[in-house]
Amino acid sequence: MGLLDRFYRVPHDLRHLEREIGKLAVLMDAVTPPGMVRAARDEVTRQSIQVRARLAAQGRLGELRRFRTRVLASADFMDGTMYHKVFVPYIETILPRTPGE
């Protein structure tokens, strides 16, 4: 079990979105044609909307904070400028803070 798994355990039903966000981070960090990044970003955005709606319906919005923290920590391999100026604001847009955070 890795350090991220120990402190930021992600529910099984969010693993797919976590993998998709990880793939997007790799595409953003590499020299990738903008069309590929845009398509991956649109897919992640669509999935995040579905996940937020499902978690809200199930009363599990509190799990988004832990999930957001894990996603941001797992993308720390990215170039600092890309990470701080593009990736972090994007993640905070698709996985907004819940009231009380």
Side-chain angles (χ1 to χ4, degrees):
M1 181 183 332
L3 190 62
L4 285 177
D5 289 330
R6 180 178 226 167
F7 293 106
Y8 304 112
R9 186 162 295 164
V10 174
H12 182 53
D13 60 338
L14 298 179
R15 293 281 182 187
H16 178 72
L17 180 58
E18 180 186 21
R19 281 191 303 272
E20 292 299 317
I21 291 173
K23 290 177 190 174
L24 177 62
V26 170
L27 287 174
M28 285 180 160
D29 195 46
V31 179
T32 308
M36 288 179 66
V37 173
R38 191 174 307 116
R41 186 192 64 216
D42 292 345
E43 179 62 20
V44 167
T45 302
R46 184 187 65 74
Q47 288 180 17
S48 72
I49 291 168
Q50 292 173 345
V51 164
R52 281 195 330 254
R54 183 171 42 83
L55 292 178
Q58 295 172 351
R60 295 172 49 201
L61 279 178
E63 293 181 13
L64 277 181
R65 185 186 76 195
R66 185 174 45 213
F67 181 67
R68 183 178 50 250
T69 302
R70 179 181 170 109
V71 166
L72 289 172
S74 67
D76 64 353
F77 65 87
M78 295 177 74
D79 173 59
T81 304
M82 179 64 72
Y83 178 76
H84 292 291
K85 296 198 179 218
V86 178
F87 189 74
V88 171
Y90 172 71
I91 294 300
E92 290 180 349
T93 299
I94 65 168
L95 302 172
R97 295 187 183 278
T98 55
E101 281 188 60

